Amino acid sequence: MSDVKVGIVMGSDSDLPIMRKAAEALDHFGVGWEMVISSAHRHPEKTARYARGAAEAGLKVIIAGAGGAAHLPGVIASMTLLPVIGIPVAIEPLHGVDSLYSIVQMPQGIPVATVAVNGAYNAGLLAVQMLALEDDSLRDKLNNYRQSLAAKVEEKDCALRESEAQCNRDAGDKK
Ligand code: RP5
């Protein structure tokens, strides 16, 4: 059985700097992924082949990102029952508003879970959360991750107030 659980698909290599962040998030949690360049417009046959074969290949989630008239996530979603997370990639001249609307405004019946413009890291996290539904160790890692986020907020709050004493007193209050 393959360790690759998430397919990361993008319309072009120009999306790679953004899409890499999805892989970073998955790496953080030790989730296996593969990356593919395909295109709903420039290579629809390849896109269809990939989407139709994804579940049988062992994938559990597909993350798809594209810019401009960004039909890739929706087209993939139409050809698989796997959950698809869409990433609107910001490109000139509309800076991602075009891709956001293209991806988020799916017709009823074929959902795509759309993250923020260039929100690839969150797409990776959302994929991990989906996989964690059936994986206790991933759930533990996600809990630790959330705690680390809260700890960072506390650190920043302490630094802002520039008073260690004040900070420690407040931390004590919460116990
Ligand atoms: C989309 O067109 C791609 O996802 C990319 O964001 C955009 C531009 O592609 P390139 O012209 O850079 O290959 O299909």
Side-chain angles (χ1 to χ4, degrees):
M1 185 88 171
S2 164
D3 277 349
V4 175
K5 298 270 185 290
V6 181
I8 302 174
V9 193
M10 64 203 87
S12 172
D13 59 350
S14 59
D15 301 319
L16 197 50
I18 295 300
M19 298 301 289
R20 269 205 189 100
K21 293 183 215 158
E24 273 170 38
L26 295 168
D27 282 342
H28 183 85
F29 292 91
V31 171
W33 51 267
E34 64 181 15
M35 263 187 192
V36 176
I37 294 174
S38 192
S39 168
H41 305 124
R42 292 168 175 162
H43 202 339
E45 295 87 0
K46 179 178 180 178
T47 301
R49 220 170 23 246
Y50 187 78
R52 293 206 167 104
E56 204 176 331
L59 297 183
K60 302 292 180 203
V61 186
I62 294 177
I63 294 173
H71 297 130
L72 184 63
V75 165
I76 290 175
S78 74
M79 287 186 253
T80 179
L81 292 179
L82 295 177
V84 175
I85 303 171
I87 305 171
V89 175
I91 61 168
E92 297 286 346
L94 299 184
H95 308 289
V97 174
D98 42 358
S99 22
L100 173 64
Y101 287 176
S102 300
I103 295 175
V104 82
Q105 288 296 101
M106 287 296 292
Q108 180 170 317
I110 308 293
V112 168
T114 309
V115 295
V117 173
N118 289 350
Y121 200 89
N122 267 1
L125 288 178
L126 191 52
V128 174
Q129 287 180 221
M130 290 172 179
L131 296 169
L133 289 171
E134 295 193 356
D135 184 329
D136 289 345
S137 87
L138 267 187
R139 199 153 45 231
D140 290 345
K141 286 185 197 171
L142 279 164
N143 272 324
N144 291 341
Y145 175 73
R146 291 283 175 100
Q147 279 166 18
S148 79
L149 293 182
K152 276 184 203 142
V153 172
E154 289 296 349
E155 265 173 42
K156 288 176 183 179
D157 184 42
C158 287
L160 176 69
R161 285 186 278 163
E162 291 178 341
S163 160
E164 198 61 28
Q166 169 82 34
C167 194
N168 290 338
R169 199 162 52 242
D170 284 3
D173 286 349
K174 284 179 202 138
K175 280 179 192 156

